[in-house]
Amino acid sequence: MFRFVMRRLMWALPMTLIITFVVYVALRVGTDPLASYLRVNQRASEKKIQQYIETNGLYEGFGGYVRGYLQWLQGFVTFDWPRSIKGSREVWPEFRDAMFNTLRLGLTATFLGILIGLSFGIFVALKPGGLRDATVSTSSFVAISTPPYVSALLLQLLFAVYWSKWFGQSLLPTSGVYPPGHRGFDLVLMIKHMILPVTVVVIQVVAVYARYMRASLLEVLNSEYMRTARSKGISERRVLVRHALRNALIPIVTVAAIDIGAILGGLIITERIFSYPGLGDFFLGAYDNGDFPQMMPWMFFFTLVVIAFNLLADVLYAVLDPRIRLG
Amino acid sequence: MTVEPILAVDGLVKHFTVKTARGVRAYKNTVQAVSNVSFSVRPGETLGLVGESGSGKTTVGRCILRLIEPTAGSVRFQGEELVGMRAERLRELRRDMQIVFQDPYASLDPRLTVGTSIAEPLEVQRIPGDHRARVKELLELVGLSPDHSRRFPHEFSGGQRQRIGIARALASNPKLLVLDEPVSALDVSIQAGVVNLLADLQDQLGLAYVFIAHDLSVVRHVSHNVAVMYLGKLVEVATAETLYERASHPYTRALLSAIPVPDPGVERGRRRIMLEGDVPSPIDPPSGCRFRTRCPKAQDHCAVEEPALVDRGQGHPVACHFPD
Amino acid sequence: MSPRRMAVRRFVKHRAALISLIILGIMVLFILLAPFTARYGVNEAVFKTSPEKPNSFLSPRGIAWLGTDDIGRDLYSRLIYGLRVSILIGLASAFFGTILGVAIGAVAGLRGGWIDDLLMRVTDLFLAFPFLVTLLVLRSVMSNVPWLKPIVGNPTSIRFVVILFVLFGWMGVARLMRGQVLALKEREFVEAARALGASNTRIVLRHLLPNSAGPILVALTFAVSGNIIAEATLGFFGYGPQPGAGATSLGKLVGGAKGALLPGYWWLVVFPCVILILVSLCVNFVGDGLRDATDPKLDGNR
Ligand SMILES: Nc1ncnc2c1ncn2[C@@H]1O[C@H](COP(=O)(O)OP(=O)(O)OP(=O)(O)O)[C@@H](O)[C@H]1O
Ligand code: SF4
Ligand SMILES: [Mg+2]
């Protein structure tokens, strides 16, 4: 086991470097950091521009890209990050705050979503084919077909705009973490601001996991081995709890780890609509400005997360399923 | 009576590389599926190739047609060496040698009508003539109705599908057919029908067969010669009569004793030689004689030296230190 | 009965899929007959009821069934024209993406070796990244490489978006096709074809493709809804196509809903959203029905 994990870990490092290098080149080509800088800072002096090129390592040609990447990487790991294009601000503090905001939103939503989704899945798998099954399956299908910004728009329309029209005061806030001008920490306010975005993400996650769980559990329940367990007179309840759930969760755990990209993707969109200052909002803001010094750390961070979760999925699968071959 | 053999296999070896997991570690292993197999088949004759499951029979069959590359050895068809042959020439030669597969459920493309499947060799080999008429003729030849050509494989029984497979193999008028357990997947009640069909076809068309089977009873009536395989090696080769009367390898004798005898009196008094244990893994075959782990006559010497397949003067080669 | 007829029969039994197909059929009729079904031009303002009353932001009524937008254009007509662009983008990009994916997947599956390894690693990671980010980065690279300009066109053109979605969309199909090839390669009927002397090309075209038609068709269907949603997403955030002067797409219309939210012009929010959900839901249901209909596990006794 240890060797398996070690081997995968040894792979992860070169993978990270290769991918981030590709991303680096893509961003250099795609967002043209120099042009973006000139666009945002139209009256920058020649000296300022030269300084910007040097701190960011914006050399030309393939060799220049490699050199620039290495320089960037060195600065990145030593926490000597170049300042943002717009307003020449420090990137790390904003990135860190955004990260915590996203973690708060993402963890809450994922946790709630998976919990509710799995329960729904179990609930319908126990009685497949009936009205209950049809209702849950159809609603999850609708939810999957609804992009997050659409549900967000509809929720905002209902709970903020029309609620205030009908009852004089909107039920839930639609943007930010706190109302404008608020200072300090206020748990109740914060939760209130999180309800709508969390709901939007939860709807998606619930739909996906309810379907996974239903399919997975049904497969296990119909397997030969479950029939044997039942025929041996083990009670339905014990069969379910002892064997079926455990086996049904194995593929789901793996999927969950790989799915992290999809969940993060939903988060990015949701954050944007609710002007929630998380990593998604951070990225889109940086993208709009072509802000290379802000985007690169973001990309590096996400590459790490994606690779880590891929690795985690492999390992979890191996641990949970003794039949798996580790080739 | 020295007729040139149509097929001559010499020193055939096939190894597969497989990855296996033991605990969480992965190993690369070599499966010695076929080790140094030699035999020949004359035109119009049948060689029965017999052995338990996993002994390498299918692998031999696939090597003969070069569906897989042999690791070593030579396969000569009508005097031409197939191993290392250019792809175009090989494609031409496939007109003359065909294979009927073990599993009639898997060997027909479910998306094609039976007629299309049977006509495929005609198309691929660009054989001129009216393909539709030829398909009808072939269907009749194997005892099916010509109207069946527009149906799909899933509408047929196993026995019928095997007949379709035979019809397809016959389409290009081959001279050699490799029959890979053509009846093992079928009900005993319809096995005889297919075997008789094959025997009739051989008489009519002068085909040579390599007839693969996992027990001696099936090949008994159709083979001129029989080769017995164990764990990738030939252990005994003889004419059918000799083998059924004077088998001298312990493994062949065990196989023979497993065939039920129709006469109840004899059946009751018959002594079966029971083989103990499982077939060892071809990844790690036993030293010396590969059969020694299950051989009732094994001696210490058997573990040390590998018995060669030698002919003791009766045109009946046996690989055993202590033959009967 | 042929496998195709059996599949059709099973599809018809999937009620939601059948209803969805009918709804989609009606939608397609509407957009094909747009000159007749739409009551106003895409860029045309509805007639003023009286000279002093403005015709912008009219709520749904007789002269504008689904209300009007900020400059007085009829939402109903604009939805028809917008749907036309969105469905065109969805179909075209799904179609070409699937062809590309099938070709690459077949090569990877047949060839194996390092090509295969590389391809699968790349697609794994590509798919693991949040899709909006990948799309945006890909988009900016495509629009900033000078020699690509003549091929991909302007970033706001429909062609650009289709190419973008094709480049993004082949990967899922490639993995699917590769899996199919690997599984089918082991089946005896493929080996049988080889024994007959069939070439690789023939094996792919004659045996592998038809036997993967079901899963490919399903993937194609889901790609259509995926791409319609992707277009809407880009449009919503303002990165989408800006087709022609005043022409529109579902993405643009849904994006326009943002501004209508706070003043409470609910029709500008609700109707585009509902149409978008309806299209993607119906296409998904059809995909689901196709999946059931072509599932080989349900195919006869094979
Ligand atoms: N493609 C392959 N890769 C790895 N090992 C293989 C492969 N094909 C066959 N083998 C192994 O080679 C050995 C011989 O297999 P083969 O199919 O030739 O046996 P067989 O005598 O035809 O058995 P059966 O009666 O079951 O058909 C077996 O141990 C099998 O596992
Ligand atoms: S060599 Fe020995 S072990 Fe092998 S068959 Fe003969 S007697 Fe048995
Ligand atoms: Mg076999």
Side-chain angles (χ1 to χ4, degrees):
Chain A
M1 190 71 238
F2 179 72
R3 274 192 40 176
F4 168 70
V5 176
M6 282 318 285
R7 210 172 45 213
R8 286 293 156 104
L9 268 179
M10 260 157 53
W11 254 109
L13 185 66
M15 276 307 258
T16 312
L17 294 182
I18 292 171
I19 295 164
T20 47
F21 178 66
V22 173
V23 168
Y24 176 87
V25 174
L27 285 184
R28 283 283 307 270
V29 173
T31 61
D32 197 343
L34 188 56
S36 311
Y37 183 79
L38 296 178
R39 194 171 54 238
V40 175
N41 306 294
Q42 296 196 343
R43 279 191 295 274
S45 65
E46 197 60 36
K47 215 180 104 210
K48 271 261 171 74
I49 297 171
Q50 207 50 46
Q51 197 188 346
Y52 169 75
I53 292 178
E54 259 155 41
T55 46
N56 282 283
L58 303 178
Y59 315 115
E60 287 306 320
F62 185 74
Y65 282 176
V66 175
R67 202 149 67 89
Y69 172 73
L70 292 177
Q71 183 185 328
W72 176 86
L73 190 64
Q74 193 191 1
F76 181 77
V77 294
T78 53
F79 265 87
D80 182 15
W81 298 8
R83 285 167 169 263
S84 74
I85 288 183
K86 193 163 186 198
S88 185
R89 295 190 309 267
E90 284 220 45
V91 175
W92 167 243
E94 288 179 23
F95 186 83
R96 184 194 51 206
D97 292 348
M99 190 163 74
F100 281 122
N101 283 337
T102 292
L103 273 180
R104 200 167 56 223
L105 179 64
L107 286 181
T108 317
T110 314
F111 179 74
L112 279 178
I114 291 184
L115 203 68
I116 301 173
L118 294 187
S119 328
F120 267 134
I122 297 171
F123 178 66
V124 290
L126 293 183
K127 228 184 190 181
L131 182 67
R132 185 206 271 188
D133 190 9
T135 317
V136 173
S137 296
T138 311
S139 346
S140 60
F141 221 76
V142 176
I144 285 175
S145 308
T146 309
Y149 47 91
V150 169
S151 43
L153 279 179
L154 295 175
L155 285 173
Q156 287 182 336
L157 187 71
L158 185 64
F159 287 111
V161 180
Y162 271 83
W163 203 276
S164 64
K165 273 206 177 140
W166 297 330
F167 305 105
Q169 188 193 0
S170 75
L171 185 65
L172 293 166
T174 59
S175 68
V177 179
Y178 290 120
H182 178 91
R183 272 159 197 271
F185 179 80
D186 185 335
L187 189 65
V188 179
L189 260 182
M190 193 161 93
I191 290 179
K192 259 184 135 177
H193 277 78
M194 274 173 64
I195 289 180
L196 281 185
V198 164
T199 311
V200 168
V201 180
V202 162
I203 289 175
Q204 301 268 310
V205 179
V206 166
V208 171
Y209 281 88
R211 287 170 63 81
Y212 278 152
M213 189 66 198
R214 176 183 179 276
S216 181
L217 189 55
L218 276 181
E219 188 162 314
V220 175
L221 285 176
N222 290 330
S223 67
E224 203 55 48
Y225 140 84
M226 285 313 287
R227 266 187 237 130
T228 329
R230 263 192 223 116
S231 68
K232 277 193 192 143
I234 302 173
S235 80
E236 198 69 23
R237 231 188 122 78
R238 286 235 337 246
V239 167
L240 183 73
V241 176
R242 269 279 184 73
H243 306 273
L245 278 184
R246 206 190 122 102
N247 282 316
L249 278 171
I250 290 175
I252 291 185
V253 168
T254 325
V255 178
I258 294 177
D259 251 13
I260 188 77
I263 292 180
L264 288 172
L267 271 179
I268 291 177
I269 293 172
T270 311
E271 284 181 3
R272 193 58 200 278
I273 308 164
F274 291 100
S275 315
Y276 185 90
L279 283 176
D281 203 49
F282 181 91
F283 177 81
L284 288 179
Y287 180 80
D288 285 341
N289 291 329
D291 206 322
F292 183 77
Q294 281 189 324
M295 274 188 282
M296 223 19 234
W298 195 98
M299 285 297 199
F300 197 94
F301 177 74
F302 263 73
T303 310
L304 277 185
V305 170
V306 165
I307 288 182
F309 273 88
N310 258 308
L311 183 77
L312 188 69
D314 281 356
V315 174
L316 278 178
Y317 200 58
V319 173
L320 289 173
D321 191 345
R323 287 164 311 179
I324 189 69
R325 295 178 171 190
L326 305 177
Chain B
M1 208 188 78
T2 46
V3 187
E4 273 298 301
I6 186 168
L7 174 75
V9 176
D10 192 22
L12 186 69
V13 178
K14 179 65 192 178
H15 292 171
F16 293 106
T17 310
V18 291
K19 278 187 191 153
T20 40
R22 205 169 292 159
V24 291
R25 296 223 201 142
Y27 294 86
K28 267 196 182 168
N29 279 314
T30 305
V31 180
Q32 305 181 16
V34 176
S35 313
N36 194 11
V37 163
S38 311
F39 58 80
S40 62
V41 184
R42 278 176 296 193
E45 286 195 0
T46 302
L47 174 83
L49 187 59
V50 179
E52 280 168 290
S53 185
S55 56
K57 308 175 301 287
T58 299
T59 308
V60 169
R62 292 166 75 204
C63 283
I64 292 176
L65 288 151
R66 245 190 84 194
L67 291 170
I68 48 176
E69 294 298 327
T71 309
S74 120
V75 178
R76 298 176 79 82
F77 178 70
Q78 296 179 320
E80 269 185 90
E81 178 61 60
L82 295 184
V83 180
M85 177 183 273
R86 281 179 309 120
E88 301 99 87
R89 178 71 188 133
L90 187 66
R91 197 169 294 165
E92 278 167 35
L93 272 185
R94 281 187 172 151
R95 195 192 266 229
D96 292 334
M97 48 180 195
Q98 277 299 313
I99 179 164
V100 174
F101 287 93
Q102 191 165 357
D103 181 356
Y105 295 91
S107 56
L108 295 171
D109 188 331
R111 299 266 151 189
L112 300 183
T113 62
V114 165
T116 320
S117 272
I118 296 178
E120 190 167 23
L122 304 174
E123 255 176 71
V124 169
Q125 296 288 351
R126 301 208 181 76
I127 293 174
D130 182 354
H131 289 182
R132 258 203 276 157
R134 175 79 178 132
V135 167
K136 296 220 156 103
E137 189 185 311
L138 286 162
L139 279 170
E140 270 170 3
L141 191 65
V142 297
L144 293 172
S145 151
D147 324 327
H148 285 160
S149 71
R150 256 172 304 159
R151 298 215 200 145
F152 286 88
H154 67 89
E155 298 171 75
F156 292 92
S157 70
Q160 286 173 315
R161 289 189 207 197
Q162 203 56 298
R163 285 168 191 264
I164 296 166
I166 294 170
R168 176 177 58 183
L170 289 176
S172 60
N173 263 323
K175 302 194 176 89
L176 171 75
L177 269 194
V178 173
L179 304 160
D180 189 0
E181 307 201 28
V183 295
S184 312
L186 307 180
D187 274 358
V188 182
S189 54
I190 52 172
Q191 286 188 355
V194 176
V195 171
N196 290 337
L197 169 72
L198 288 167
D200 291 346
L201 289 170
Q202 182 166 48
D203 289 344
Q204 276 179 48
L205 307 171
L207 297 164
Y209 288 157
V210 173
F211 194 119
I212 297 173
H214 62 246
D215 66 57
L216 279 165
S217 65
V218 178
V219 295
R220 172 169 215 162
H221 307 289
V222 290
S223 301
H224 300 91
N225 294 298
V226 178
V228 181
M229 259 186 112
Y230 184 78
L231 216 56
K233 289 194 169 236
L234 288 186
V235 296
E236 181 161 16
V237 183
T239 63
E241 287 143 51
T242 319
L243 194 89
Y244 286 94
E245 272 153 30
R246 295 195 305 277
S248 56
H249 194 281
Y251 178 60
T252 315
R253 295 175 71 87
L255 285 181
L256 277 173
S257 78
I259 304 176
V261 183
D263 181 343
V266 181
E267 170 69 24
R268 215 171 302 124
R270 189 168 65 98
R271 277 196 29 237
R272 294 198 54 181
I273 307 169
M274 295 302 292
L275 289 179
E276 283 168 16
D278 291 327
V279 185
S281 157
I283 291 175
D284 188 17
S287 66
C289 174
R290 288 193 178 178
F291 186 52
R292 72 175 161 83
T293 53
R294 300 165 77 201
C295 180
K297 296 174 67 184
Q299 315 267 321
D300 291 346
H301 183 56
C302 301
V304 184
E305 197 193 336
E306 188 177 339
L309 185 67
V310 284
D311 186 349
R312 288 176 177 76
Q314 294 125 341
H316 175 184
V318 179
C320 176
H321 295 305
F322 310 102
D324 285 284
Chain C
M1 203 190 341
S2 78
R4 197 175 308 150
R5 289 250 309 273
M6 293 196 298
V8 169
R9 203 167 275 199
R10 275 198 300 266
F11 181 85
V12 173
K13 275 204 201 121
H14 193 300
R15 238 182 310 149
L18 196 61
I19 296 172
S20 300
L21 196 63
I22 294 171
I23 297 179
L24 285 175
I26 295 173
M27 284 186 178
V28 169
L29 264 184
F30 261 70
I31 59 176
L32 284 182
L33 301 176
F36 306 107
T37 47
R39 304 169 75 202
Y40 302 89
V42 63
N43 220 6
E44 188 185 347
V46 303
F47 318 115
K48 289 195 175 183
T49 38
S50 65
E52 59 274 9
K53 265 198 205 154
N55 57 8
S56 54
F57 293 127
L58 294 180
S59 58
R61 64 192 61 202
I63 57 161
W65 289 336
L66 302 183
T68 63
D69 67 2
D70 49 351
I71 50 177
R73 294 173 298 192
D74 179 33
L75 183 61
Y76 161 77
S77 310
R78 282 178 69 72
L79 274 175
I80 291 179
Y81 285 107
L83 192 60
R84 186 161 74 170
V85 171
S86 289
I87 287 189
L88 176 75
I89 290 177
L91 284 178
S93 46
F95 181 72
F96 292 117
T98 303
I99 290 183
L100 190 62
V102 165
I104 294 177
V107 170
L110 278 179
R111 279 284 170 80
W114 67 268
I115 301 184
D116 188 28
D117 285 346
L118 181 75
L119 204 72
M120 288 307 112
R121 285 278 151 220
V122 171
T123 49
D124 262 354
L125 285 156
F126 233 95
L127 294 174
F129 264 90
F131 95 100
L132 185 61
V133 173
T134 319
L135 270 188
L136 289 180
V137 172
L138 210 59
R139 173 181 178 272
S140 52
V141 172
M142 265 169 61
S143 53
N144 259 340
V145 177
W147 49 267
L148 274 179
K149 258 274 151 56
I151 308 170
V152 300
N154 199 305
T156 54
S157 68
I158 292 182
R159 175 159 49 131
F160 184 93
V161 177
V162 170
I163 294 178
L164 176 65
F165 289 173
V166 167
L167 285 183
F168 182 74
W170 61 267
M171 281 170 282
V173 183
R175 308 185 68 181
L176 176 94
M177 187 63 199
R178 170 185 174 270
Q180 286 284 321
V181 169
L182 287 184
L184 289 171
K185 216 161 65 164
E186 299 298 316
R187 298 268 293 274
E188 273 183 359
F189 69 83
V190 173
E191 192 161 37
R194 189 160 288 132
L196 301 174
S199 62
N200 261 345
T201 323
R202 186 188 166 88
I203 287 175
V204 170
L205 294 181
R206 196 72 203 249
H207 299 285
L208 298 184
L209 266 185
N211 277 287
S212 325
I216 292 175
L217 196 63
V218 173
L220 177 85
T221 313
F222 286 123
V224 172
S225 65
N227 287 334
I228 290 178
I229 292 209
E231 185 279 324
T233 309
L234 286 186
F236 182 83
F237 290 110
Y239 307 116
Q242 313 281 338
T248 191
S249 71
L250 275 189
K252 266 186 91 179
L253 289 169
V254 176
K258 274 181 294 187
L261 197 62
L262 280 183
Y265 304 130
W266 59 268
W267 57 95
L268 287 175
V269 181
V270 172
F271 295 127
C273 287
V274 166
I275 292 292
L276 181 61
I277 295 177
L278 198 63
V279 178
S280 89
L281 182 65
C282 286
V283 177
N284 281 343
F285 263 133
V286 170
D288 200 45
L290 284 174
R291 179 161 47 201
D292 283 2
T294 56
D295 189 347
K297 265 183 264 164
L298 308 169
D299 229 17
N301 56 350
R302 195 191 68 223

